[in-house]
Amino acid sequence: MRLVRLAAMAAVLLTAVPAFAYKWQITDDSYVGVGALIQAQAQFTEDAAPTGKDWSNDFFLRRARILVFGAFNKHVSFFLETDTPNFGKDGK
């Protein structure tokens, strides 16, 4: 029962939020934007710690992305994206 309560609490606290982005208009046809997406995750496993009797816990970034997008004119646009999956997982 304790595990169910812990999982429910984690689900409420770690609910994904919308990505955010900022856009700067340069001219009528050109702009540059920057955005980010971050998804955090926590894992708790019973009897998985090195002692064999305690809980193992791990908090990490499931996905971290930086987005850069824009347009030079009506015909040429660009999109750049980075992706860092499982950043900090297993204490790394």
Side-chain angles (χ1 to χ4, degrees):
M1 189 62 166
R2 183 176 175 194
L3 178 61
V4 174
R5 280 190 227 143
L6 185 61
M9 184 173 64
V12 170
L13 293 175
L14 299 176
T15 302
V17 296
F20 66 90
Y22 295 103
K23 183 177 170 183
W24 294 277
Q25 195 73 34
I26 299 168
T27 65
D28 289 341
D29 295 329
S30 64
Y31 64 91
V32 175
V34 177
L37 170 67
I38 299 173
Q39 295 175 337
Q41 183 171 339
Q43 290 180 311
F44 303 95
T45 309
E46 189 174 11
D47 299 332
T51 62
K53 297 180 181 180
D54 297 321
W55 284 76
S56 168
N57 55 33
D58 194 11
F59 180 78
F60 58 97
L61 294 179
R62 169 70 180 91
R63 177 168 287 121
R65 292 181 175 172
I66 297 174
L67 314 163
V68 179
F69 55 92
F72 295 111
N73 55 39
K74 293 190 308 189
H75 305 289
V76 180
S77 62
F78 63 92
F79 178 80
L80 304 168
E81 177 182 20
T82 64
D83 190 15
T84 305
N86 299 321
F87 182 72
K89 188 171 186 178
D90 298 327
K92 297 178 185 171

